[in-house]
Amino acid sequence: MDNILEIAILEMCRQKGEKPFLCNEVIQWIYPQDWEKFTKEIQLAAQGLKQKGKIMLSENWEINKVKH
């Protein structure tokens, strides 16, 4: 996995534990000034992680850590 956005999502999962968060929180954390330019990219990264079974993703782009 070499996508920085996927890595950031997984890191936020680690930091938040069981607490869900929105995709935009990740992008605002990484790019606080220009985050709005990256909303599509963070959504694509989240969808990729969902397809890989790494996260749960709701229709409103809320991310939950997958419980193992």
Side-chain angles (χ1 to χ4, degrees), residues 3 5 16 35 50 52:
N3 183 329
L5 297 178
K16 298 266 186 181
W35 69 271
K50 178 184 175 184
K52 294 174 189 173

Side-chain angles (χ1 to χ4, degrees), residues 48-62:
L49 287 173
K50 178 184 175 184
Q51 289 174 346
K52 294 174 189 173
K54 303 276 185 184
I55 64 169
M56 293 181 290
L57 185 63
S58 73
E59 289 180 19
N60 67 340
W61 302 104
E62 186 176 76

Side-chain angles (χ1 to χ4, degrees), residues 13-14 17-21 54-56 63-68:
C13 283
R14 188 189 67 76
E18 300 298 317
K19 185 178 176 190
F21 57 92
K54 303 276 185 184
I55 64 169
M56 293 181 290
I63 296 170
N64 279 302
K65 182 178 176 181
V66 172
K67 297 177 180 97
H68 293 286

Side-chain angles (χ1 to χ4, degrees), residues 27-38:
I27 207 69
Q28 289 170 357
W29 174 48
I30 298 176
Y31 302 111
Q33 311 242 318
D34 298 322
W35 69 271
E36 292 170 321
K37 296 176 183 175
F38 297 96

Side-chain angles (χ1 to χ4, degrees), residues 5-23:
L5 297 178
E6 289 183 358
I7 294 168
I9 290 168
L10 293 175
E11 174 59 18
M12 189 164 277
C13 283
R14 188 189 67 76
Q15 291 179 10
K16 298 266 186 181
E18 300 298 317
K19 185 178 176 190
F21 57 92
L22 296 173
C23 285

